[in-house]
């Protein structure tokens, strides 16, 4: 039986700060490609963080997780 998986891909200005934030929420860093990181919770949720220095910050950024 296949395991369900959901993946969100988010642009971010600061990979280190974003990674630390999501690790505090319980995700772990699975892969680090320098400008692109993959985190997961071990239950099928995956978060991809893509470094984009010009990305607007909230509330001007249309991308987000709620």
């Amino acid at each position: 039986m296949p395991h369900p998986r959901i993946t969100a891909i988010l642009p971010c200005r600061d990979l280190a700060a974003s990674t630390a934030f999501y690790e505090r929420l319980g995700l772990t860093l699975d892969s680090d490609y320098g400008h692109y990181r993959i985190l997961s919770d071990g239950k099928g949720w995956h978060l991809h963080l893509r470094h984009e220095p010009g990305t607007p910050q909230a509330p001007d950024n249309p991308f987000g997780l709620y």
Side-chain angles (χ1 to χ4, degrees):
M1 175 143 229
H3 298 285
R5 174 185 267 191
I6 188 164
T7 302
I9 302 171
L10 294 178
C12 64
R13 285 184 176 190
D14 186 335
L15 275 177
S18 295
T19 300
F21 173 79
Y22 289 108
E23 285 178 330
R24 285 191 304 272
L25 295 178
L27 286 102
T28 58
L29 180 64
D30 293 335
S31 301
D32 185 344
Y33 300 99
H35 66 286
Y36 195 91
R37 292 183 179 171
I38 300 173
L39 297 94
S40 71
D41 71 347
K43 300 175 187 173
W45 290 86
H46 294 256
L47 178 63
H48 294 210
L49 299 174
R50 184 178 61 216
H51 182 240
E52 292 188 22
T55 299
Q57 293 183 331
D60 300 319
N61 188 337
F63 303 102
L65 298 175
Y66 300 95

